[in-house]
């Protein structure tokens, strides 16, 4: 694709001419709009103070998305360039319509139009962001319009690093509050939007440049990511402790036990040793209290000398300044008229943003400690809460001295004090805040801002941001608002309430603020993650309330999903039809088509052969399935979170399964039951439509024996004609695939879906898979010879795709295929749990089950080469089951020659090359083989004679020694 953003003016002009001749009416409409919006003339704006010389472009209606989406890319680029020149020239403040239209241009074709805004603007003009007005505008666009675009393009981490650098220069700057708080809120949203492991410092050295607020949010975000999505790479596991040290180097914070109990174990173990220094903080306050109260009395008494403000700002000690708000709160005594809020406001505005943050956190600690002391003196809790909330209301609403979002974060970070969350609920229930939110909803119109046809209302600066943030400001707001700053905060409050078992309070907050959360650009991710994070701990009523955060009409939920989550019989698992339809949706919209040559992580390890033509049947290429053009059916701007139709379909299925009021074992059992019997079910259901391919001479009953053609496998007691309770009569026609193709794709879809679910589901999958393998009739049939069964297993595991094409698929073959599809989609951190399936299969007493175990775990080993400990554990597990069968003391019902497993021995000789430099064996792995060989039969031991550390007998040991 051509990089249009780097074209010179002459090339742009040529594109403009071509585009104009191809779409002249549209061009004329756009040019007329640009003129009317003030791109060519700068008009005075009515919302600026009379003594300001800034000019504001005329407010008009933004260009409709329908018109913009019909323009050529070249024309869109030209229009975007002209807008950028006008918006960031510094000669005038652009209109909201101008900015909104510019954002819409980026949204209609993110692949072709969007580039990293900060990088793009500075590359065109390095001085762009040196102007405060431009920086504020860029941050507003990034926070309220382009946040999801960055995530979609995979650039959120880069933007986070860039914004953090800017924050680090602002956090100690006196009086620069508006731009700092906007940048901090942007960074909050960026951190919360990340879906995989991230580093807080790109270079990985020194303490983080995050603020105290961002450090705390980063820990919570890491907990959510690790617990709900796992850590994708083992090298990230190695860096986790270093990253935590960077985050906490400048922080005294600890997390309550109620919060830590929900953290993933790897993070909980790393944080559990941190000492809670709140007691020391209170001691420091008590030592400074007399001095602080004396200073505050001089500064904040109703008759205080205004000149003392300058004295305090220039001469007070930093260790005392952090207690200013705490001192003001103490002096109030529940009577706001006791303090001079004008002086307090003047001082806070001259503080640096980080000093204000420190004041808020310290005030919260002092406030909670003071309530505790008053309770000990016998004062009623209700009276104390009324006074505390009344004092805070003065700070927040009457005089607008403190940022509400930071105050709420400070309170929920002290959730181990029950009064903290009571204050939070009181603030959220306040009429002032709810009125603010209502005004925000009225002024902003529908959450889908790109669909709004009329002119946007510009909210006055002071009304949008309050006195503290609007003081001395010259630049009007675009999308920023005190209410909008709360969008990332309310989800975190819900997390804290659930952690503290305050389910009713969480339900009430969601009931009141669900319409508001529709404006949260990450609301879909919030729903998916909170259901996963607290899976098994959420009551059904609260799950329904959480789902209402979404615009249900726009989410592709299954048709029968509402009835299953609202069912009066909560213990009843949905029918297999429901799960099968869910998997079919993934096949049609997520799993790549069989004729798709691109490599995709969603495909199982048997997918490479899935386009081979079945023996004697029509080639698969002439009956190819859908080309998976679902992503083109919805434009990006309609699904910014999670970003693509593919992701939306997959994660909607995840949300459905996490919302069902049944146990993970019931869900996994249903999915596995479908997979185990999928091919005979599909073939029989499509007999009336397509006939029964490959069933000549066998009737409509498919054999479940791996041998496929043996007549004794057709007995009525050993056949599975269909899955009970599953109606797949139109599945094949709805998918566009043949029965054989569809059965393979449904297995892949099931593996992909299970890999997105929490580890509780993985455990159940391993249990269910082991049960099916152990209970397979042709492994437990005493009438079968060992040789026949081992031959049967070899056939079943040779290639599951061939088995599907021959109509001889087996339960074990399908289970192994499912596990491979599942494993290849698991993050590296969760692969350690895969050992559980082998533990459930042990003790292994036959070569047949030995082969199955090797077939299950063998393909995992190449993925584990960078995780030496887990690689060694997995190899050791395979060697242990080899000893189970061929150990010196093992008792097989029939003797098996060592040569019968020569293929497994060959595989083990390959394994030692997976690790080590230039594929040279590692000494530790050779030692592992040597210890295992001591317990093997001599004939098997002989086949592994070179796999030890003795240089006299092992050629591999000589290679290691020579290296």
């Amino acid at each position: 694709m051509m990089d249009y953003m780097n074209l010179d003016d002459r090339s742009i002009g040529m594109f403009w001419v071509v585009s104009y001749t191809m779409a002249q009416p549209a061009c004329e409409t756009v040019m007329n709009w640009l003129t009317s919006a003030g791109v060519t003339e700068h008009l005075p704006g009515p919302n600026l103070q009379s003594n300001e010389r800034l000019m504001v472009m005329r407010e008009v209606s933004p260009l409709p998305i329908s018109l913009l989406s019909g323009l050529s890319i070249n024309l869109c680029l030209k229009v975007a360039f002209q807008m950028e020149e006008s918006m960031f020239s510094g000669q005038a403040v652009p209109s909201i319509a101008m900015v909104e239209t510019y954002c819409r241009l980026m949204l209609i074709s993110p692949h072709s139009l969007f580039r990293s805004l900060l990088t793009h603007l500075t590359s065109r003009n390095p001085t762009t962001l040196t102007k405060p007005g431009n920086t504020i505008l860029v941050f507003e666009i990034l926070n309220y319009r382009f946040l999801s675009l960055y995530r979609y393009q995979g650039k959120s981490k880069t933007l986070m690093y860039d914004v953090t650098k800017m924050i680090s220069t602002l956090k100690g700057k006196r009086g620069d509050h508006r731009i700092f708080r906007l940048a901090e809120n942007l960074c909050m949203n960026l951190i919360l939007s990340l879906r995989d492991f991230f580093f807080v410092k790109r270079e990985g050295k020194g303490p983080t440049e995050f603020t105290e607020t961002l450090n705390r949010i980063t820990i919570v975000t890491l907990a959510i990511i690790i617990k709900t999505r796992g850590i994708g790479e083992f090298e990230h596991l190695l860096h986790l402790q270093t990253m935590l040290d960077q985050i906490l180097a400048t922080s005294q914070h600890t997390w309550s036990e109620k919060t830590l109990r929900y953290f993933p174990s790897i993070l909980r173990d790393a944080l559990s040793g941190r000492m809670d220094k709140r007691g020391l903080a209170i001691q420091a306050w008590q030592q400074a209290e007399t001095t602080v109260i004396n200073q505050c009395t001089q500064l904040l008494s109703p008759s205080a000398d205004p000149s003392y403000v300058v004295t305090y700002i220039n001469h007070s000690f930093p260790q005392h300044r952090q207690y200013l708000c705490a001192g003001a709160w103490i002096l109030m005594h529940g009577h706001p008229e006791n303090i001079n809020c004008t002086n307090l406001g003047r001082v806070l505005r001259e503080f640096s943003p980080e000093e204000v943050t420190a004041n808020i956190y310290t005030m919260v600690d002092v406030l909670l400690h003071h309530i505790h002391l008053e309770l000990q003196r016998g004062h009623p809790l209700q009276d104390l809460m009324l006074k505390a909330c009344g004092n805070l209301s003065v700070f927040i609403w009457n005089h607008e001295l403190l940022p509400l979002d930071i105050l709420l974060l400070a309170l929920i970070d002290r959730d181990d004090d029950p009064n903290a969350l009571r204050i939070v609920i009181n603030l959220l229930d306040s009429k002032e805040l709810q009125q603010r939110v209502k005004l925000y909803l009225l002024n902003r119109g529908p959450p889908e801002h790109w669909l709004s046809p009329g002119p946007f209302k510009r909210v006055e600066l002071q009304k949008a941001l309050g006195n503290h943030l609007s003081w001395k400001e010259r630049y009007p707001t675009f999308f920023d608002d005190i209410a909008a700053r709360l969008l990332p905060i309310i989800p975190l409050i819900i997390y804290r309430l659930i952690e503290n078992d305050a389910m009713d309070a969480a339900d009430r907050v969601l009931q009141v603020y669900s319409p508001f959360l529709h404006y949260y650009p990450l609301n879909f991710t919030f729903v998916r993650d909170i259901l996963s994070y607290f899976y098994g701990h959420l009551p059904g009523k609260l799950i329904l309330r959480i789902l209402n955060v979404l615009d249900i009409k726009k989410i592709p939920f299954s048709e029968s999903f509402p009835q299953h989550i609202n069912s009066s019989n909560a213990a009843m698992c949905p029918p297999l039809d429901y799960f099968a339809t869910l998997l079919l949706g993934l096949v049609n919209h997520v799993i790549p088509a069989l004729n798709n040559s691109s490599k995709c992580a969603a495909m199982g390890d048997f997918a490479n052969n899935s386009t081979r033509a079945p023996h004697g049947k029509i080639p698969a290429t002439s009956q190819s399935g859908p080309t998976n053009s679902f992503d083109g059916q919805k434009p990006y701007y309609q699904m910014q979170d999670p970003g693509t139709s593919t992701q939306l379909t997959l994660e909607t299925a995840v949300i459905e399964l996490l919302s069902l009021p049944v146990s993970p074992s019931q869900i996994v059992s249903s999915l596995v039951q479908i997979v185990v019997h999928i091919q005979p079910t599909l073939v029989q259901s499509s007999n009336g439509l397509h006939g029964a391919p490959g069933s000549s001479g066998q009737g409509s009953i498919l054999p479940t024996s791996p041998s496929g053609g043996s007549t004794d496998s057709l007995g009525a007691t050993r056949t599975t004609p269909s899955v009970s309770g599953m109606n797949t009569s139109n599945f094949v026609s709805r998918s566009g695939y043949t029965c054989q193709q569809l059965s393979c794709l449904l297995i892949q879809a099931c593996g992909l879906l299970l890999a997105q679910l929490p580890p509780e589901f993985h455990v159940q999958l391993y249990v269910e898979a082991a049960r099916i393998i152990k209970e397979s009739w042709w492994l437990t049939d005493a009438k079968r010879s060992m040789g026949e069964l081992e031959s049967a297993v070899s056939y079943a595991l040779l290639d599951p795709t061939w088995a599907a094409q021959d109509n001889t698929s087996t339960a074990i073959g399908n289970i192994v295929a499912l596990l491979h599809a599942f494993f290849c989609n698991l993050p590296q951190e969760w692969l350690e749990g895969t050992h559980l399936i082998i533990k459930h299969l042990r003790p292994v007493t036959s070569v047949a089950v030995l082969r199955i175990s090797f077939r299950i775990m063998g393909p995992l080993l190449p993925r584990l080469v960078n995780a030496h400990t887990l690689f060694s554990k997995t190899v050791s597990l395979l060697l242990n089951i080899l000893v189970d069968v061929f150990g010196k003391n093992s008792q097989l019902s029939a003797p098996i020659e060592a040569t019968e497993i020569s293929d497994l021995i060959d595989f083990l000789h390959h394994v030692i090359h997976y690790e080590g430099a230039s594929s040279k064996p590692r000494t530790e792995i050779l030692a592992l083989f040597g210890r295992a060989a001591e317990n093997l039969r001599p004939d098997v031991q002989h086949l592994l004679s070179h796999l030890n550390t003795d240089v006299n007998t092992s050629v591999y040991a000589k290679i290691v020694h020579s290296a």
Side-chain angles (χ1 to χ4, degrees):
M1 181 186 300
M2 185 176 293
D3 187 354
Y4 295 108
M5 289 300 188
N6 293 324
L7 294 175
D8 56 28
D9 290 340
R10 184 169 179 272
S11 300
I12 293 169
M14 294 174 63
F15 280 129
W16 174 258
V17 171
V18 173
S19 300
Y20 188 86
T21 56
M22 293 177 64
Q24 185 171 351
C27 288
E28 291 177 353
T29 302
V30 172
M31 291 303 294
N32 291 338
W33 181 87
L34 290 173
T35 302
S36 66
V39 173
T40 57
E41 56 176 327
H42 301 151
L43 304 175
N47 294 319
L48 292 180
Q49 300 177 13
S50 58
N51 62 339
E52 300 290 353
R53 297 191 176 186
L54 289 175
M55 311 291 276
V56 179
M57 296 181 187
R58 182 187 293 123
E59 288 292 355
V60 296
S61 297
L63 281 172
I65 197 80
S66 56
L67 172 65
L68 296 174
S69 58
L71 300 178
S72 68
I73 296 296
N74 304 329
L75 181 55
C76 289
L77 284 165
K78 180 64 177 180
V79 173
F81 286 159
Q82 288 198 345
M83 289 183 183
E84 284 176 4
E85 291 172 1
S86 299
M87 288 162 54
F88 301 107
S89 65
Q91 300 176 22
V93 177
S95 67
I96 298 178
M98 173 71 63
V99 179
E100 179 64 34
T101 301
Y102 172 76
C103 295
R104 290 179 182 184
L105 279 171
M106 300 299 117
L107 293 176
I108 60 174
S109 185
H111 282 303
S112 304
L113 290 172
F114 177 74
R115 296 295 185 274
S116 175
L117 187 60
L118 286 177
T119 305
H120 170 58
L121 290 177
T122 53
S123 65
R124 297 191 73 195
N125 184 356
T127 64
T128 298
L129 296 181
T130 61
K131 302 170 184 176
N134 285 352
T135 306
I136 289 173
L137 173 57
V138 168
F139 280 172
E140 287 199 43
I141 291 175
L142 293 175
N143 204 25
Y144 302 113
R145 290 297 183 263
F146 283 178
L147 185 70
S148 298
L149 256 178
Y150 268 83
R151 184 168 71 170
Y152 176 68
Q153 297 281 0
K155 299 177 181 178
S156 290
K157 295 175 190 176
T158 303
L159 180 59
M160 180 184 72
Y161 298 134
D162 292 341
V163 175
T164 301
K165 296 284 187 186
M166 301 174 79
I167 285 177
S168 66
T169 64
L170 292 169
K171 63 184 180 182
K173 195 173 178 182
R174 283 175 58 174
D176 218 343
H177 296 282
R178 178 186 174 185
I179 191 170
F180 171 84
R181 292 298 174 196
L182 178 57
E184 190 176 40
N185 197 259
L186 167 60
C187 223
M188 283 184 209
N189 275 319
L190 282 169
I191 293 170
L192 291 168
S193 76
L194 294 172
R195 291 186 289 202
D196 56 0
F197 190 86
F198 59 96
F199 298 103
V200 293
K201 289 178 72 72
R202 228 178 321 208
E203 64 276 14
K205 298 178 182 178
T208 173
E209 295 170 323
F210 286 175
T211 64
E212 173 67 4
T213 300
L214 295 178
N215 281 334
R216 299 184 186 199
I217 287 179
T218 301
I219 295 293
V220 173
T221 302
L222 280 172
I224 295 171
I225 290 173
I226 294 172
K227 187 173 181 180
T228 65
R229 301 174 189 274
I231 298 178
E233 303 296 334
F234 273 111
E235 65 177 27
H236 293 165
L237 286 168
L238 302 177
H239 293 298
L240 180 61
Q241 188 58 54
T242 301
M243 180 173 167
L244 293 176
D245 293 341
Q246 292 171 347
I247 295 170
L248 300 173
T250 57
S251 175
Q252 303 298 318
H253 189 61
T254 54
W255 284 262
S256 71
E257 285 301 319
K258 290 185 176 179
T259 296
L260 285 174
R261 69 179 175 175
Y262 283 102
F263 273 18
S265 58
I266 187 173
L267 196 57
R268 184 171 59 248
D269 294 343
L271 296 173
S272 60
R274 279 182 68 79
M275 190 172 93
D276 188 350
K277 297 184 179 180
R278 230 171 320 171
L280 298 176
I282 293 300
Q283 289 180 17
W285 153 252
Q286 290 169 338
Q287 292 171 4
E289 185 174 6
T290 301
T291 304
V292 170
I293 294 299
N294 181 49
Q295 290 179 340
C296 288
T297 301
Q298 296 181 68
L299 177 68
L300 302 177
S301 63
S303 58
D305 182 358
S307 64
Y308 187 72
V309 170
V310 177
T311 303
Y312 182 86
I313 291 171
N314 293 331
H315 300 290
S316 59
F317 293 122
Q319 63 265 35
H320 293 150
R321 288 157 66 105
Q322 66 175 316
Y323 299 116
L324 174 61
C325 288
W329 187 86
I330 293 292
L331 288 177
M332 273 190 184
H333 295 299
H335 299 282
E337 65 275 8
N338 288 349
I339 67 169
N340 187 331
C341 284
T342 302
N343 280 0
L344 179 59
R346 289 177 61 194
V347 173
L348 289 176
R349 289 166 186 150
E350 290 296 335
F351 276 5
S352 70
E354 272 289 76
E355 283 183 300
V356 174
T357 299
N359 259 270
I360 292 172
Y361 282 116
T362 305
M363 181 188 71
V364 165
D365 284 343
V366 171
L367 179 158
L368 296 173
H369 176 68
H370 187 265
I371 291 176
H372 179 69
L373 292 178
E374 292 297 297
L375 285 172
Q376 289 180 336
R377 292 167 186 154
H379 293 282
L381 177 61
Q382 186 175 2
D383 292 348
L384 294 173
M385 294 299 294
L386 285 174
K387 285 184 180 180
C389 295
N391 288 358
L392 292 177
S393 293
V394 172
F395 283 138
I396 300 166
W397 304 119
N398 296 25
H399 298 280
E400 299 173 327
L401 300 176
L402 298 176
L404 176 60
D405 53 339
I406 307 301
L407 176 60
L408 289 171
L409 284 171
L411 285 165
I412 65 174
D413 272 345
R414 296 307 190 198
D415 62 305
D416 47 357
D417 188 314
N419 297 318
L421 290 180
R422 291 192 183 105
I423 294 172
V424 169
I425 295 301
N426 187 286
L427 293 174
L428 293 181
D429 285 341
S430 66
K431 293 180 180 178
E432 293 91 344
L433 176 55
Q434 293 186 15
Q435 184 61 31
R436 278 272 191 177
V437 170
K438 286 180 182 177
L439 288 174
Y440 179 85
L441 300 182
L442 287 173
N443 289 328
R444 301 296 160 171
E448 299 83 2
H449 55 85
W450 56 86
L451 298 179
S452 182
F456 282 70
K457 297 178 183 178
R458 186 187 292 278
V459 182
E460 292 181 18
L461 179 61
Q462 192 276 330
K463 289 183 178 179
L465 299 179
N467 290 325
H468 177 67
L469 294 177
S470 64
W471 184 64
K472 282 188 177 180
E473 277 292 346
R474 303 171 62 229
Y475 302 96
T477 59
F478 291 87
F479 313 116
D480 201 10
D481 192 278
I482 288 178
R485 301 282 183 92
L486 296 179
L487 284 170
I489 310 303
I490 292 178
L492 292 175
I493 293 174
I494 302 300
Y495 271 84
R496 286 294 178 275
L497 292 173
I498 295 172
E499 288 165 358
N500 284 269
D501 301 315
M503 303 298 180
D504 291 338
D507 184 88
R508 190 168 73 253
V509 171
L510 285 172
Q511 181 181 12
V512 174
Y513 288 97
S514 283
F516 178 52
L517 289 175
H518 286 168
Y519 290 78
Y520 185 40
L522 308 172
N523 62 357
F524 186 91
T525 295
F526 162 64
V527 170
R528 183 261 188 214
D529 286 353
I530 198 169
L531 292 175
S532 180
Y533 191 81
F534 295 112
Y535 184 74
H537 300 277
L538 300 175
K541 178 185 175 185
L542 186 57
I543 289 175
L544 292 177
R545 192 72 73 186
I546 291 171
L547 291 175
N548 283 327
V549 170
L550 303 173
D551 189 342
I552 303 296
K553 301 185 297 296
K554 297 180 179 176
I555 308 300
F557 286 120
S558 302
E559 187 177 347
S560 60
F561 175 60
Q563 74 185 51
H564 296 312
I565 57 173
N566 288 298
S567 173
S568 57
N569 189 355
M572 182 176 291
C573 189
L576 293 184
D577 269 353
Y578 166 77
F579 295 102
T581 302
L582 211 61
L583 294 179
L584 183 64
L586 298 185
V587 167
N588 286 337
H589 305 309
V590 179
I591 302 296
L594 286 176
N595 60 348
N596 189 338
S597 60
S598 63
K599 184 179 180 181
C600 178
M603 304 295 276
D605 71 330
F606 54 86
N608 293 332
N609 298 320
S610 60
T611 55
R612 285 191 293 190
H615 300 296
K617 303 181 181 72
I618 301 173
T621 52
S622 66
Q623 296 186 20
S624 60
T627 57
N628 221 13
S629 60
F630 186 63
D631 277 346
Q633 295 176 9
K634 277 190 176 182
Y636 163 76
Y637 52 78
Q638 290 186 9
M639 50 192 173
Q640 295 182 46
D641 181 26
T644 66
S645 295
T646 297
Q647 197 72 21
L648 180 64
T649 303
L650 176 60
E651 299 208 354
T652 298
V654 171
I655 288 175
E656 287 195 30
L657 295 185
L658 294 175
S659 303
L660 292 176
V662 294
S663 67
S665 61
Q666 290 174 289
I667 293 172
V668 170
S669 177
S670 297
L671 290 170
V672 170
Q673 188 177 352
I674 292 170
V675 164
V676 166
H677 304 296
I678 188 59
Q679 194 191 9
T681 304
L682 288 176
V683 171
Q684 290 185 70
S685 66
S686 62
N687 278 347
L689 297 174
H690 305 287
S695 60
S696 174
Q698 298 179 10
S700 62
I701 305 296
L702 289 176
T704 56
S705 162
S707 58
S710 60
T711 55
D712 58 353
S713 69
L714 301 178
T717 59
R718 295 175 177 174
T719 56
T720 311
S722 63
V723 182
S724 175
M726 180 174 162
N727 179 15
T728 58
S729 58
N730 60 348
F731 261 39
V732 176
S733 59
R734 284 164 58 190
S735 71
Y737 293 106
T738 64
C739 301
Q740 293 79 9
Q741 292 172 329
L742 182 57
S743 65
C744 293
L745 291 174
L746 285 169
I747 293 172
Q748 294 177 35
C750 188
L752 173 64
L753 178 57
L754 286 169
Q756 314 304 310
L757 298 172
E760 293 94 326
F761 290 85
H762 307 169
V763 172
Q764 294 302 322
L765 173 61
Y766 302 141
V767 171
E768 188 69 9
R771 183 190 66 79
I772 287 175
I773 291 172
K774 291 198 296 186
E775 293 180 3
S776 177
W777 70 263
W778 45 274
L779 278 179
T780 58
D781 190 349
K783 297 178 182 178
R784 300 287 176 179
S785 68
M786 292 291 288
E788 184 180 2
L789 291 181
E790 285 148 18
S791 173
V793 170
S794 298
Y795 180 91
L797 299 182
L798 183 62
D799 188 334
T801 305
W802 272 104
Q805 293 170 349
D806 293 340
N807 291 338
T808 56
S809 66
T810 64
I812 290 182
N814 285 353
I815 278 293
V816 172
L818 171 64
L819 289 171
H820 289 170
F822 173 71
F823 291 162
C824 77
N825 288 288
L826 272 187
Q828 294 273 17
E829 181 205 355
W830 289 348
L831 288 176
E832 190 157 0
T834 59
H835 291 183
L836 188 59
I837 186 172
I838 304 301
K839 291 179 181 177
H840 284 300
L841 287 174
R842 295 184 73 182
V844 178
T845 57
S846 69
V847 175
V849 179
L850 175 66
R851 288 192 180 282
I852 293 171
S853 300
F854 266 71
R855 179 63 177 138
I856 289 173
M857 302 303 296
L860 266 180
L861 290 173
R863 283 194 65 190
L864 305 180
V865 292
N866 294 323
H868 178 64
T869 302
L870 184 53
F871 181 86
S872 299
K873 286 182 179 179
T874 306
V875 173
S876 178
L877 186 67
L878 292 176
L879 291 174
N880 287 340
I881 58 176
L882 183 64
V883 172
D884 284 350
V885 180
F886 289 96
K888 293 178 180 178
N889 300 320
S890 62
Q891 298 292 326
L892 291 176
S893 57
I896 300 293
E897 296 293 331
T899 54
E900 296 294 325
I901 59 164
S902 58
D903 56 328
L904 299 185
I905 300 298
D906 289 343
F907 171 74
L908 292 174
H909 279 77
H910 283 289
V911 164
I912 63 167
H913 294 290
Y914 288 170
E915 284 194 309
S918 303
S919 298
K920 292 180 180 178
R922 291 175 66 115
T923 303
E924 301 94 318
I925 297 297
L926 288 175
L928 199 66
F929 276 94
R931 288 192 297 270
E934 294 174 1
N935 299 314
L936 290 170
R937 285 171 17 190
D939 56 338
V940 180
Q941 206 175 72
H942 172 72
L943 296 177
L944 298 174
S945 59
H946 286 287
L947 298 181
N948 61 65
T949 56
D950 185 354
V951 294
N952 296 317
T953 61
S954 170
V955 64
Y956 295 109
K958 289 180 181 178
I959 295 174
V960 174
H961 183 72
S962 63

